Amino acid sequence: MKIFEVMTDNEYEQLIFFHDKETGLKGITCIHNTVLGPALGGTRLWNYESEEDAIRDVTRLARGMTFKNAGAGLNLGGGKTVLIGDPHKVKSEGYFRALGRFVQSLNGRYITAEDVNTNTKDMNFIGMETSHVTGLEGKSGNPSPVTAWGVFKGLQASIEEAFGTTDVSKFSYAVQGAGQTGYYLINYLIEHGAKRICFTELNPAHVERMKKEHPEVKFVKAPDIYSQDVDVFCPCALGGLLDEKTIPKIKAKVIAGSANNILKDEKAHGDLIMKLNKVYAPDFIINAGGVINVYDELLGYDKNRAMRNVELIYDRLRQIYAIAKKKHINTQMAAIHFAQERIRGIGEVRKNFIPRCHHHK
């Protein structure tokens, strides 16, 4: 793997490797772009098979955060941290405090948050060593209901694009994944009178919870979720699930959900969805509610202001659908174009983020 080639091709600013002998901490932080502000992105703990896999993941995710933050109208760049290790074995106070010191050494160019296999408690340990961390206890709390609210507003923009109305109650839905965001999305859909909902979920506890709380929501087996006879398909599970095999199975006219990197190949599979005349809500625009919420923490958290900003996802998607039509490109490409235009516009004024003082508030 030629690391400088990877960095040059996608314009990465920094790739930082760090290690702490005492706690066994091994990790990589990637800062992709800081034109709009400090790079924000979570810390993911995963037992990667190889160092190359870890580099591939951290670079891909950091670039995704640049587009997500820019597309959400935030004054933030994109970054990410991955830690290499078994989540059941490595976690400790010392481990995360060591990470906090490495985050602090970047002097505010990178701000971390929780991600896969890290939580609020871990962020509190990081916060003992650095102020460049969000998602602490007693601040903005669980991001899932907020992300789901953004997805709900984005879903309204998408059904308006497909059917000419924002009235959720007229349509049927298939939700893939009902653990966190998908669970809250189903609740919002029910509150707004959605006529028929089915879901799939791998965790038996989450399946039971849904049966207990909403017996009218029908459970279907995982492979069958794509081919349900519904108006809207909501991918709220893992990424990379939409490809040349699964997309043709989808009967729904609208694809809108909270999953990250849902298209296996943004260009090819975005084009396939466009060819099949379906409306696809670009993942990093519709699922930005969580990061919009976290950004509000950096300003001094105000829940009402955060929710108002999350609701702007509706307007952004309307703009992106217009760009896609005008340029005859798929909506994922239109969303990337939308994010890049914002970076370009601000980049004329300021090239990259360097903190001006050391007493960062």
Side-chain angles (χ1 to χ4, degrees):
M1 189 181 201
K2 296 183 173 165
I3 290 175
F4 278 110
E5 260 181 38
V6 171
M7 290 182 75
T8 309
D9 289 349
N10 288 297
E11 299 179 343
Y12 290 94
E13 289 179 17
Q14 277 178 292
L15 192 63
I16 305 118
F17 293 74
F18 52 86
H19 172 241
D20 179 66
K21 190 168 166 237
E22 296 307 313
T23 61
L25 174 75
K26 281 194 299 194
I28 311 167
T29 295
C30 179
I31 296 176
H32 175 245
N33 182 299
T34 59
V35 170
L36 297 176
L40 174 89
T43 292
R44 173 171 294 197
L45 171 54
W46 196 258
N47 215 352
Y48 291 96
E49 301 238 323
S50 69
E51 288 169 17
E52 284 208 355
D53 284 354
I55 296 167
R56 224 171 262 120
D57 208 28
V58 77
T59 49
R60 187 179 58 90
L61 292 164
R63 183 167 175 261
M65 286 309 298
T66 296
F67 293 145
K68 180 179 279 202
N69 293 335
L74 307 176
N75 293 315
L76 291 172
K80 202 79 181 183
T81 296
V82 300
L83 306 176
I84 302 169
D86 181 345
H88 303 296
K89 291 180 185 162
V90 298
K91 281 189 174 202
S92 68
E93 177 183 342
Y95 180 87
F96 284 107
R97 288 183 73 162
L99 173 59
R101 288 194 291 283
F102 285 115
V103 170
Q104 183 60 25
S105 75
L106 295 170
N107 194 30
R109 271 176 56 74
Y110 168 70
I111 301 164
T112 198
E114 59 192 77
D115 199 289
V116 176
N117 291 325
T118 62
N119 57 32
T120 313
K121 189 176 139 200
D122 306 328
M123 296 307 118
N124 286 349
F125 291 140
I126 293 169
M128 291 174 183
E129 302 291 339
T130 182
S131 53
H132 308 301
V133 56
T134 59
L136 303 171
E137 271 163 9
K139 291 277 184 75
S140 64
N142 180 1
S144 297
V146 187
T147 303
W149 184 240
V151 172
F152 180 79
K153 297 312 285 184
L155 195 143
Q156 284 187 305
S158 307
I159 61 174
E160 186 175 17
E161 181 67 18
F163 305 112
T165 173
T166 58
D167 184 354
V168 172
S169 70
K170 293 188 166 144
F171 306 101
S172 52
Y173 305 83
V175 181
Q176 182 182 42
Q180 282 281 354
T181 316
Y183 166 76
Y184 291 106
L185 178 62
I186 288 171
N187 283 332
Y188 293 137
L189 288 170
I190 290 168
E191 272 170 43
H192 289 80
K195 66 174 187 187
R196 187 163 55 84
I197 307 170
C198 62
F199 81 107
T200 194
E201 166 59 50
L202 300 177
N203 182 329
H206 295 151
V207 176
E208 278 313 304
R209 173 177 65 179
M210 190 61 70
K211 281 184 178 164
K212 207 165 103 201
E213 290 179 18
H214 301 296
E216 73 278 20
V217 177
K218 185 180 147 221
F219 173 77
V220 298
K221 290 197 177 91
D224 302 334
I225 195 72
Y226 302 102
S227 55
Q228 294 300 307
D229 195 3
V230 292
D231 303 304
V232 184
F233 174 70
C234 306
C236 299
L238 293 169
L241 294 177
L242 294 189
D243 56 24
E244 62 285 354
K245 289 193 190 79
T246 53
I247 293 166
K249 291 180 185 169
I250 297 172
K251 292 184 180 151
K253 173 87 171 148
V254 172
I255 302 171
S258 63
N260 276 312
N261 307 315
I262 186 68
L263 300 177
K264 207 160 194 185
D265 180 316
E266 289 183 319
K267 178 80 176 74
H269 300 133
D271 283 353
L272 177 59
I273 291 170
M274 184 169 82
K275 199 175 117 192
L276 295 170
N277 202 21
K278 296 180 188 304
V279 174
Y280 171 72
D283 47 10
F284 64 87
I285 300 289
I286 192 170
N287 70 16
V291 77
I292 294 169
N293 196 42
V294 151
Y295 179 65
D296 210 276
E297 262 187 47
L298 304 173
L299 310 174
Y301 191 63
D302 173 341
K303 181 149 196 208
N304 291 335
R305 175 180 61 195
M307 290 310 247
R308 278 198 309 275
N309 287 333
V310 167
E311 287 172 6
L312 295 174
I313 288 172
Y314 171 89
D315 306 275
R316 256 175 233 123
L317 278 174
R318 298 300 303 152
Q319 274 177 275
I320 286 160
Y321 292 144
I323 293 167
K325 269 192 191 138
K326 193 175 159 197
K327 293 186 172 291
H328 306 291
I329 53 175
N330 77 51
T331 54
Q332 188 77 6
M333 293 295 125
I336 291 171
H337 173 82
F338 177 83
Q340 284 172 332
E341 280 302 298
R342 181 158 179 263
I343 295 167
R344 200 171 292 129
I346 304 291
E348 296 304 314
V349 184
R350 151 181 128 167
K351 290 287 181 245
N352 58 7
F353 178 78
I354 310 287
R356 287 180 300 186
C357 59
H358 26 253
H359 51 273
H360 189 74
K361 287 197 175 63

